[in-house]
Amino acid sequence: MQRKDYYAGNDKMYVATDCIVFGYSTDCLQLLIFPRKVEPHKGEWSLIGSFVKEDEHVRDAAERVLKEITGLDKVFFEQLKTYGDVDRDPGARCISVAQYALIRLGETDRKLVEGHGAYWYKLEDLPSLVLDHDELVRDALNELRRKARYQPIGFELLPEKFTLPQLINLYEVIYQKKLDPRNFRKKILSLKVLTKLDEKDKSTSKKGAYLYKFNREKYHQLLESGYHFEL
Amino acid sequence: MQRKDYYAGNDKMYVATDCIVFGYSTDCLQLLIFPRKVEPHKGEWSLIGSFVKEDEHVRDAAERVLKEITGLDKVFFEQLKTYGDVDRDPGARCISVAQYALIRLGETDRKLVEGHGAYWYKLEDLPSLVLDHDELVRDALNELRRKARYQPIGFELLPEKFTLPQLINLYEVIYQKKLDPRNFRKKILSLKVLTKLDEKDKSTSKKGAYLYKFNREKYHQLLESGYHFEL
DNA sequence: TATATTAAATGTAAACCGTACATTTATATA
DNA sequence: TATATAAATGTACGGTTTACATTTAATATA
C-alpha cells in the first residue's frame, strides 16, 4: 500500500478474525476446531482464525482461512461481534472480529478438514478452547438461534432441493427440541417462500417426500413489504 | 505493555471506534456529529470516534471519547458491528468498531457538547457524513429499531420515573409512527415490568399522569423464565 | 361555586394466530 | 394382497392483537 499514512503516531495493533464454524448433520450441530499452531497455548484446541492482512478485508480473511481448511467457497458467513479486551490474547494486543459460518456436513469436506488437522466436534462434547473462544462459541450459538427465528438462514444448510421433513429436522437440531410437524408445515407454507416441486425424495420412506425450493425473490419481497418474518 | 509479542511478522493496523450517538427529545431522534479534526477530509461532518489505544479496551475507547464530548458517563452503549473494508478510510488501513449510544437530551449536555464543536442534528436533516459514516448511521438506526422491539432499551432514554404518555411518545419517535395508546398500555402493563407509583406528573396536563418505574428485577426474571419479550 | 377545558385513563368485540392433538395416504416390500 | 413406514393433512380452543369511543380527574375561568 502506498497511500500516505495520515495517522502516524497513533497505536496500531493486530486484528484477527476467528470463525465459529457450525456444521449441520441430521442429528446434531457440530463445530470445527483444531489444535492451535502458534505460541502461546500452542497445541490447545482453538477456533479457526487468522490475522487480517493490511490489504485484506476482514471478511476476506475469514473466507480465506475457511477455504484453506474446508475447501469450501461461498459459505454462509455472518459477523458476530468484535472482542476487544486488552488482555484477551496473551500473545500480544490483538482484537478479534468473530464471524460465524454454517456448513452442511458432507463426506467430501471431512477429509480435507482432517488433512489440515481440524476436527468436527459435536457441540455437546466440545473440549474447552483457548483464549476467549468458549465465550465466542456461546455467543455465536445464541446468535444463531436468535437469527434462525427471524430469518430463514436454515436454508443455507440444506441442499437446493429439500423436503419438509429435512427442514423440520434442521430446526430441531438448531433449537435442540422437537417441533410439531403439522404446525411447522402450516407456518412455513403460509409464508409462501417455498416452491413445491413435482419431484419426490424417496431415500427415507416408501411414500417419498415432496421436494421444495426456497424462493429468495419472494422472501425479499416479503421483507421489503415490511413483513416481520418469524419462524 | 511488556509482554512478549509472539506474533511479530504479522500485519498491524489502526483500530478506531465510531460512536453513533442517538439523542432523544420529545419530538424526534437526533444524532451527535462534529467537524472532523484530522486529515483527510478535515472539516467535514463526522461521527464521534477515536483510535483505540494499545492498552485500552475497545469499549473504553468509546466511553472515553463520549465522556470527553458530552460529559456523560454510564451511557447505554451497544456494539453495532465492525467495518473492515480495506479502503474505507483513505488516511490509512483502519478498521472501525462501531458502537451506538442512547442519550436523553437535556440542556446541560448541549452546552458541553457545543463547547467541543459538536452538534445535535435531527435525523431528518442530517448532512452527509465522511467516509462510510452514512452507512454506519443507517445500520445503527435499523439495529436500534430492531432492538427496541425485543428489549426494553427505551427505558434507557427516560428518567427513572416516567409516565406512560412519555413512554408511548418515545416509542413513537423511535419507530416514526403513531401508536394506539390503549393497546400500548395494555401490552406494556401486561408484561408486569412496570411499577406504578403514587405520584403524578402534572407538567403536561391538569389531570396529571401517574409516574412509573421500570422494574429491572422482574424484567430479568421474565427473560430467564424463557419469555420472548416483545413490544 | 359552577362550567369549560385538557390530557389521561379505561373496555369491548372481532379477527387473527399459535397450539395441541390423531388419522389418512402413498408406496415399497414381504 | 397384506404389511409396514414415513409423509401429509385438519380442526377446535385459547390467547393475543387490533380497531375503535367514552369517561375521568383536575385546573382554570366565568
Side-chain angles (χ1 to χ4, degrees), chain A residues 146-159:
Chain A
R146 198 193 62 72
K147 198 112 188 165
R149 277 187 77 105
Y150 304 115
Q151 278 178 42
I153 56 174
F155 299 104
E156 310 290 340
L157 283 176
L158 291 174

Side-chain angles (χ1 to χ4, degrees), chain B residues 64-80:
Chain B
R64 167 173 56 77
V65 65
L66 195 64
K67 165 99 197 226
E68 218 171 279
I69 287 178
T70 65
L72 291 176
D73 245 351
K74 315 232 175 196
V75 157
F76 173 85
F77 248 115
E78 194 97 353
Q79 197 183 111
L80 177 61

